[in-house]
Structure formats: structure tokens, C-alpha cells
Amino acid sequence: MSIAIYAGSFDPITNGHVDIVMRANQVFEHIVVLVMQHSQKTGWLSLEQRVALVQETFSDHPSITVETASGLLAQYAQKRGIQTLIRGLRAVSDFDYEAQMALANRDICPGLDTVFFMTSKEYAYLSSSVVREMVQHQASVAHLVPAPVQGMIEL
Ligand code: COA
């Protein structure tokens, strides 16, 4: 079975992430959405909250599972025996960072490849921090986040 990991901090998961996962799942039979803690990000939601929201988002999709890990992504992929990472590209500005990460991950784990999906144009400007800032200033994000995130915001 073809399987790939889509890792991120998902703080919170947005429709841009969902778009990448669903499209990647057309190419790979199984997607592991891996919720990680970014070493330089303090975090808005707890790891447990982020995992729960990602799980709820994909609860109707048995070919998409959610896991969590700390440490290096490449080492986790190696431990799981998975050889493909998925990343989304939103703009040219993402490229330098993504190329660096792809090469670093391959250096840590030779044989580990990164497959890039171009983000759909309606989400090209979207990031978790855009969502966080809009929420903090009471702007509606209903069109930008999956239903479980919207539900949490409305609580
Ligand atoms: N749609 C919407 N937003 C998107 C997106 C998309 N398709 N793709 C990325 N983003 C957003 C993310 O939400 C995030 O927003 P934020 O910065 O406002 O929170 C931003 O773009 C950056 O995304 P990303 O680069 O995926 O960062 P991340 O923090 O979500 O995840 C890890 C990064 C966890 C995958 C990475 O740090 C990692 O691999 N960590 C483990 C340590 C490691 O192995 N390091 C590499 C080798 S040294």
C-alpha cells in the first residue's frame, strides 16, 4: 500500500491543510497526518487539542490517520517505514525553506522523498497564524477552517 506522511503543527488545522491532505490521498492510498511541535513556535492550542481537531476533521476518512511525534520528522518516518513526505507549496516564498527541509530530511534518512502539492489558489494566502489573528479580533473564519475548528472557536 502506498503511504505518505503530512506533518505540521496544525495550530489550528485549516482548509488549506485539508485541501492538501485530500488531494494527496488521491495519489497515496494512506496518509498519516502527523501533528508535531515546532521547535520555534510557542503554540496557541495544546498538542492534545490540535490532535483532537485533526482527528475529528478526518473522522469520516479511514484512509487518513492521525499520529503525533516529537523529535525529527525523518527519524519518525524511518521508524514507521514510510518513505514519502507530503508538503504543500503556497508561493515561491515557500520554496527556499521547503527545499532546505526536503534536503535535510533526506540527509537524515537517505531514501526519504518529499512530494509537493501546489496549494489551491483560494488558500494561497492562508496560514494558521492568519486564522489565529482573525479569531483574536473576532473576524469570521468559518470559510477558512474545518467544522471542528469552527465549533471550538464558537464555544
Ligand atoms: N494551507 C494553509 N496553511 C499552510 C499550508 C497550506 N497548504 N501549508 C503550510 N501552511 C502554514 C502552516 O499552518 C503554518 O502556519 P503558521 O506558521 O502560521 O503556524 C505555516 O504555513 C508553516 O507551515 P509548516 O512549515 O508546515 O510549519 P509547521 O509549524 O506547521 O510544521 C514541521 C513544521 C513540524 C513539519 C517541521 O518543523 C518539522 O519537521 N519539525 C520536526 C523537526 C525536524 O525534523 N526538522 C527538520 C530537519 S532538521
Side-chain angles (χ1 to χ4, degrees):
M1 181 171 64
S2 60
I3 180 164
I5 295 178
Y6 181 56
S9 44
F10 305 110
D11 191 22
I13 185 165
T14 70
N15 286 343
H17 298 126
V18 174
D19 169 59
I20 297 291
V21 173
M22 300 311 288
R23 285 166 51 215
N25 199 198
Q26 305 281 315
V27 178
F28 296 91
E29 290 166 281
H30 196 101
I31 303 292
V32 174
V33 182
L34 186 64
V35 184
M36 300 189 82
Q37 186 66 49
H38 191 293
S39 55
Q40 275 138 37
K41 292 182 184 174
T42 48
W44 184 54
L45 301 171
S46 71
L47 187 66
E48 291 71 23
Q49 285 174 304
R50 287 183 270 141
V51 169
L53 290 171
V54 178
Q55 268 168 343
E56 231 185 300
T57 299
F58 297 114
S59 58
D60 290 340
H61 299 273
S63 59
I64 300 167
T65 51
V66 184
E67 299 181 13
T68 182
S70 55
L72 293 178
L73 170 57
Q75 287 177 339
Y76 187 77
Q78 196 165 33
K79 196 172 75 183
R80 291 278 281 97
I82 297 172
Q83 288 195 313
T84 310
L85 303 177
I86 300 295
R87 296 290 290 170
L89 281 178
R90 290 165 298 173
V92 173
S93 51
D94 280 344
F95 181 81
D96 281 351
Y97 172 75
E98 292 300 337
Q100 188 186 20
M101 283 302 113
L103 292 172
N105 285 328
R106 202 170 162 77
D107 182 64
I108 297 162
C109 176
L112 184 60
D113 263 310
T114 304
V115 173
F116 295 96
F117 284 80
M118 195 70 219
T119 299
S120 295
K121 63 179 186 307
E122 60 267 40
Y123 303 126
Y125 67 97
L126 188 55
S127 70
S128 298
S129 36
V130 163
V131 168
R132 291 197 295 269
E133 195 155 359
M134 289 173 71
V135 170
Q136 275 151 18
H137 294 89
Q138 287 81 47
S140 172
V141 293
H143 56 305
L144 301 177
V145 296
V149 176
Q150 180 61 21
M152 181 221 38
I153 290 165
E154 283 169 359
L155 281 180

